[in-house]
Amino acid sequence: MKIKTSELACVCGPTSKFPEYYKPEIAFAGRSNVGKSSLINSLLNRKNLARTSSSPGKTVTINFYEINNEFYLVDLPGYGYAKASEAERIKWGKMIEKYLKKRDTLAAIVLLIDVRHAPTKDDVMMYNFIREYGFTPIIVATKLDKIKRSMRDKQLKLIRETLHAPKDQIIIMHSSVDKTGRDEILDVLEMKILSPVSETDQST
């Protein structure tokens, strides 16, 4: 898939009404500081379209990016920020749950995991949460440039085992520095966009 145009279309806060879009949406979920903005910018060949908050864990918004006038990438709030209050954590959860429940146009969900570490309890919870909604997330292991090549297979196995993911679970390693994995991710997203929306019967 070639990215021709990309722009920020809408920003929704905790009390905002979601936009009424009718094109497929690909949602991105992950812990704060896992590299969601870097991944989105890498996929879109943009430097600063998706911006990192100056206060990690504080910004609770869902950002919609319109791509090629054909579909949307949706950046969900980062979760798991260590210094966040319980009230802030609840806000993240409610926004993400609200989005997953309401979006009939949701075609796929990308879950980001830091390749350097085993998935956290929050990562495992999010993975299971996504599956409960009838989706099999596309897992992207970020920050690949920060580990040695000899460690890749070990970390890939660690991610799969910690999540108790099936053998056919898609896990793509990505580096925003050298763009490793970018084309593979775009190819998978293209298949999801072209597939009927969505994997689930959306009966929940």
Side-chain angles (χ1 to χ4, degrees):
M1 175 168 56
K2 292 184 178 180
I3 304 298
K4 299 174 183 177
T5 62
S6 56
E7 64 178 2
L8 179 62
C10 183
V11 176
C12 293
T15 60
S16 301
K17 182 179 179 181
F18 292 140
E20 295 183 2
Y21 294 150
Y22 301 98
K23 300 170 185 175
E25 296 176 5
I26 306 288
F28 288 71
R31 298 182 73 246
S32 296
N33 298 326
V34 74
K36 273 197 291 105
S37 296
S38 295
L39 173 60
I40 291 172
N41 287 329
S42 172
L43 295 177
L44 303 181
N45 265 334
R46 298 285 295 270
K47 289 186 177 181
N48 296 303
L49 181 61
R51 301 197 175 195
T52 303
S53 170
S54 58
S55 300
K58 295 292 185 181
T59 303
V60 185
T61 62
I62 295 179
N63 302 329
F64 294 78
Y65 299 93
E66 186 172 13
I67 315 301
N68 294 346
N69 296 314
E70 296 175 350
F71 66 97
Y72 294 89
L73 296 186
V74 183
D75 187 4
L76 300 177
Y79 58 82
Y81 186 57
K83 295 182 181 179
S85 67
E86 183 63 25
E88 287 167 335
R89 289 172 182 265
I90 291 173
K91 274 187 184 179
W92 299 332
K94 285 184 176 179
M95 280 203 76
I96 293 171
E97 183 175 12
K98 177 183 174 184
Y99 174 80
L100 293 177
K101 279 185 174 180
K102 299 292 184 180
R103 301 309 281 183
D104 293 334
T105 49
L106 182 58
I109 303 172
V110 178
L111 177 61
L112 283 68
I113 304 289
D114 190 330
V115 74
R116 299 173 296 177
H117 314 292
T120 65
K121 289 183 179 180
D122 287 328
D123 291 327
V124 175
M125 186 181 300
M126 179 56 68
Y127 178 75
N128 292 331
F129 184 65
I130 292 169
R131 291 183 65 89
E132 285 175 7
Y133 274 87
F135 289 89
T136 299
I138 301 158
I139 297 175
V140 174
T142 61
K143 305 188 180 183
L144 183 60
D145 51 282
K146 296 186 181 296
I147 66 170
K148 295 179 180 179
R149 184 176 293 272
S150 60
M151 293 290 292
R152 292 183 181 184
D153 288 345
K154 179 182 177 182
Q155 294 306 109
L156 186 65
K157 182 180 179 182
L158 180 61
I159 291 172
R160 191 179 297 278
E161 289 181 348
T162 304
L163 294 176
H164 299 290
K167 292 182 179 180
D168 61 352
Q169 170 66 61
I170 297 174
I171 304 178
I172 304 173
M173 292 187 167
H174 176 265
S175 167
S176 59
V177 174
D178 61 19
K179 303 295 181 71
T180 298
R182 177 182 182 271
D183 291 343
E184 187 178 355
I185 295 168
L186 288 174
D187 287 345
V188 172
L189 297 188
E190 184 174 32
M191 288 193 308
K192 294 292 185 180
I193 293 165
L194 293 175
S195 298
V197 178
S198 64
E199 303 175 23
T200 175
D201 62 6
Q202 293 288 310
S203 61
T204 54

